[in-house]
Amino acid sequence: MNTNLTGVVATLILTILLAIPLGRYLAKVYQGERVWTDFLRPFERLLYRLGGINPAEEMSWQRFIRALLTINMLWLVYGFIMLFYQGVLPLNPDGNPGMTPDLTFNTVISFVVNCNLQHYSGESGLSYLSQVGVVMYFQFVSAATGMAALAGVYRAMQEKQSSTLGNFYVYFIQSITRILLPLSIVLAVALLACGTPMTFDGKIVLNTLQGVEQSISQGPAAAMIAIKQLGTNGGGFFGVNSAHPLENPNFLSNMLQTISILIIPIAMVFALGYYLKRRRLAWIIFGVMTLGFLSFVIGTIMAETAGNPAIDQMGINQDLGSMEGKETRIGAEASALWGIATTATSNGSVNAMHDSMTPISGFLQLLDMMINALYGGVGVGLLNYYIFIIIAVFISGLMVGRTPELLGKKVEIREMKIATLITLLHPFLILVGTALSSYMIVNHADIAWAVKPANWLNNPGNHGFSEMLYEYTSASANNGSGFEGLGDNNFFWNVSTGFVLILSRFLPIIGPVAIAGLLAQKQYIPESSGTLRVDTPTFGLMTFAVIFIVAALSFFPALALGPLAEYFSMHP
């Protein structure tokens, strides 16, 4: 246990030490300064010519958003065709059939919006062409979309007065060529060294020690796993994701993947400081995020190492902690860290089954996604935090009798309306979706659908409610993990979560970009003794309070019905 805790601490320290220089590099890339990857410029210029893009052309915030939405809509059409007809396309040695229309709808949207919610099993649900040409491709472009949006906000925050945010396509291409692709190559090679496969051969048949034959799926896994973690995508090549021994062979590969989940979201915070030349602000934001993150990590480790009281009653030894649904090569502590890292960053990959974790761990994982701003996904995590900064600035200004300002720009009613709508959207989608699914189970359990609502849940009571709450929370947070006791591959869940995925991805990107664009157009007001500074610990604590008050008021009743009620039922 002490060894595992040492591994957890070492993982967190290494992540921060690597994220700081990476943040400096990210800032230089988006500012157009000289970096070691400049040798890729001829390739980037070729892409611009092929796409008819003028990289020197500036975009207003409205045009920036239109470019972002247009290219994502094209990917939706492309992905739907590829997955629906994968059964007749090449690179399908195992003969996997095409997806049903509702599953195709859900899967394509899920990967385009960087969620990777998987209502299918990776090795049997997709061909190699779909894994590489759709899933892995979307994992690059969806991550780059969020990073490009944040780069536009960086630009708006930097300018004293401007009507443009830069060029979306330039930020987008650079996010792939200069950041995601180089890091993915390094991580893929490291995973290969750990034992992760990288081949286009079909299944292999082995004779087990019991004397029976077993078919083992393989494939080009290392490349996809690298970008799934670095881009906070999370979609597994294999059905059980990073709990699979070929995706995550040992403790070293587990450390590498945990670092890769966290490193870019943290680096994007430090990049803000370097880009704006306000490192103190970046450290305040990092401190607030890390305070929440470590609180959740410590709580989850304590809950999982204490064991499960229901298993204690069976007389089973739990010296290693609660090991139900976990891998012995990884351990309870590292599984607990991963569970919070993957929900904090909207990654969604799992190295243990979240459905089997203790109620307090499930509660913290849910709250992590409900906040959706403790590091968050690549790019979009800081965009979510930006919304909370706007709200905190406005409230703080009213409390102290000062005009609300952010970096020399007045925050007025128009920006607050946008921020409020985006803040309320998240709980609206989660709670309405959970209420609708609960209503169907209670009032229409035996309706004549292909899968009756009565058969959706493998667990009754509070935990069954948590499974439905988790599914919509995961979809709305663009996370992708799940409480897998829920039977989600049916028309209701595929379609309902599909619409949640679309709304919860693009509106929270449009909102911060619009606010940043509106503020950039305003006249700059130099800082004075009356200016409310946002780079102080006091304001950091104010933002922290706003984040948790909003989350508590919005979600506590639902959490009380689910994981908290389950916890108290196990601890009378």
Side-chain angles (χ1 to χ4, degrees):
M1 185 176 293
N2 291 333
T3 302
N4 287 342
L5 281 175
T6 301
V8 167
V9 174
T11 300
L12 293 173
I13 292 174
L14 281 172
T15 301
I16 296 170
L17 292 178
L18 292 171
I20 295 173
L22 179 59
R24 184 184 296 112
Y25 170 77
L26 293 177
K28 289 183 176 181
V29 168
Y30 292 131
Q31 285 179 316
E33 297 181 10
R34 294 183 61 182
V35 291
W36 67 271
T37 50
D38 283 345
F39 69 91
L40 292 167
R41 281 182 178 172
F43 175 64
E44 292 169 349
R45 285 195 292 266
L46 174 62
L47 294 176
Y48 297 144
R49 284 198 298 270
L50 292 174
I53 298 166
N54 178 7
E57 187 177 11
E58 294 282 322
M59 293 182 176
S60 65
W61 67 266
Q62 297 95 330
R63 188 178 173 194
F64 194 97
I65 290 172
R66 283 198 300 269
L68 184 153
L69 294 177
T70 300
I71 197 168
N72 275 270
M73 294 306 107
L74 291 175
W75 292 329
L76 284 172
V77 176
Y78 160 76
F80 193 97
I81 294 172
M82 291 288 288
L83 294 185
F84 189 73
Y85 292 106
Q86 73 170 357
V88 297
L89 294 174
L91 287 179
N92 189 10
D94 298 325
N96 293 332
M99 288 185 170
T100 60
D102 58 299
L103 181 57
T104 303
F105 171 80
N106 182 275
T107 304
V108 171
I109 292 173
S110 180
F111 281 90
V112 166
V113 304
N114 196 241
C115 180
N116 294 204
L117 188 71
Q118 293 175 285
H119 289 177
Y120 64 91
S121 182
E123 57 263 57
S124 61
L126 293 180
S127 67
Y128 290 166
L129 180 62
S130 295
Q131 293 273 33
V132 175
V134 178
V135 168
M136 192 167 74
Y137 172 69
F138 284 170
Q139 287 176 333
F140 274 101
V141 298
S142 63
T145 296
M147 296 171 74
L150 182 58
V153 173
Y154 285 168
R155 171 69 178 275
M157 295 173 71
Q158 181 192 49
E159 299 292 338
K160 290 190 175 180
Q161 189 167 13
S162 175
S163 59
T164 61
L165 305 185
N167 190 304
F168 167 78
Y169 295 112
V170 172
Y171 296 144
F172 173 77
I173 293 295
Q174 289 178 336
S175 297
I176 295 176
T177 58
R178 306 297 186 93
I179 303 164
L180 295 173
L181 190 57
L183 290 176
S184 295
I185 292 173
V186 172
L187 181 58
V189 171
L191 292 175
L192 276 170
C194 290
T196 301
M198 186 66 193
T199 177
F200 283 94
D201 294 337
K203 295 179 181 179
I204 57 175
V205 179
L206 301 176
N207 290 314
T208 68
L209 294 176
Q210 287 80 16
V212 298
E213 289 187 346
Q214 182 176 354
S215 296
I216 307 294
S217 296
Q218 45 183 347
M224 177 176 160
I225 294 163
I227 184 58
K228 91 166 185 180
Q229 306 296 27
L230 287 164
T232 59
N233 296 285
F237 191 94
F238 300 101
V240 293
N241 211 280
S242 289
H244 198 289
L246 295 185
E247 281 208 25
N248 192 8
N250 49 50
F251 198 88
L252 176 59
S253 67
N254 191 78
M255 285 185 65
L256 291 172
Q257 292 188 52
T258 305
I259 291 171
S260 66
I261 290 170
L262 294 168
I263 189 168
I264 295 182
I266 295 176
M268 296 295 277
V269 176
F270 291 120
L272 173 69
Y274 288 112
Y275 196 103
L276 302 182
K277 294 181 174 55
R278 291 177 175 267
R279 298 184 190 179
R280 182 181 174 89
L281 174 61
W283 278 103
I284 292 296
I285 295 173
F286 171 74
V288 172
M289 291 180 171
T290 302
L291 176 62
F293 178 80
L294 290 180
S295 300
F296 285 17
V297 169
I298 292 169
T300 304
I301 290 177
M302 291 176 63
E304 294 307 308
T305 53
N308 188 320
I311 295 179
D312 273 337
Q313 295 172 7
M314 300 169 64
I316 298 175
N317 182 282
Q318 295 191 83
D319 289 344
L320 297 178
S322 177
M323 290 301 294
E324 181 190 355
K326 299 182 180 67
E327 301 296 307
T328 54
R329 69 184 185 279
I330 296 172
E333 296 86 352
S335 298
L337 171 62
W338 186 302
I340 297 302
T342 192
T343 49
T345 61
S346 79
N347 178 276
S349 65
V350 297
N351 69 352
M353 297 301 103
H354 290 190
D355 197 32
S356 298
M357 288 194 176
T358 57
I360 290 299
S361 296
F363 164 77
L364 292 173
Q365 289 163 1
L366 278 163
L367 187 58
D368 219 1
M369 293 184 289
M370 289 166 174
I371 293 172
N372 205 24
L374 303 180
Y375 302 144
V378 287
V380 294
L382 198 48
L383 290 179
N384 293 333
Y385 191 92
Y386 181 72
I387 292 293
F388 285 116
I389 289 179
I390 296 294
I391 296 174
V393 163
F394 193 82
I395 294 175
S396 299
L398 295 178
M399 290 175 64
V400 300
R402 297 176 181 173
T403 301
E405 294 177 10
L406 176 62
L407 303 181
K409 303 297 178 68
K410 289 185 178 180
V411 177
E412 297 176 302
I413 190 65
R414 183 167 49 175
E415 293 81 35
M416 272 304 298
K417 285 181 178 178
I418 297 173
T420 302
L421 288 173
I422 298 304
T423 303
L424 295 177
L425 174 70
H426 192 49
F428 175 81
L429 293 174
I430 293 171
L431 299 178
V432 169
T434 305
L436 177 62
S437 58
S438 301
Y439 173 83
M440 295 304 299
I441 287 178
V442 172
N443 295 283
H444 301 285
D446 294 318
I447 194 170
W449 290 349
V451 179
K452 296 180 179 180
N455 298 327
W456 288 348
L457 300 177
N458 291 321
N459 294 285
N462 304 118
H463 194 80
F465 178 82
S466 295
E467 289 173 349
M468 295 186 293
L469 178 65
Y470 196 106
E471 185 75 2
Y472 284 109
T473 304
S474 180
S476 185
N478 288 150
N479 187 269
S481 61
F483 271 13
E484 297 307 333
L486 177 70
D488 49 24
N489 185 12
N490 57 69
F491 184 84
F492 177 87
W493 289 100
N494 285 335
V495 173
S496 64
T497 55
F499 283 110
V500 170
L501 288 165
I502 292 177
L503 295 173
S504 60
R505 168 64 168 183
F506 293 113
L507 291 179
I509 289 178
I510 292 171
V513 172
I515 291 173
L518 291 169
L519 291 178
Q521 295 172 358
K522 296 184 179 183
Q523 184 177 357
Y524 176 76
I525 304 171
E527 290 186 356
S528 66
S529 58
T531 300
L532 178 65
R533 296 180 60 88
V534 296
D535 57 356
T536 64
T538 301
F539 184 80
L541 290 175
M542 179 66 183
T543 310
F544 186 87
V546 168
I547 290 171
F548 277 88
I549 288 172
V550 169
L553 291 177
S554 300
F555 296 111
F556 186 79
L559 292 170
L561 291 174
L564 292 180
E566 183 182 4
Y567 171 80
F568 287 113
S569 69
M570 295 171 65
H571 298 78

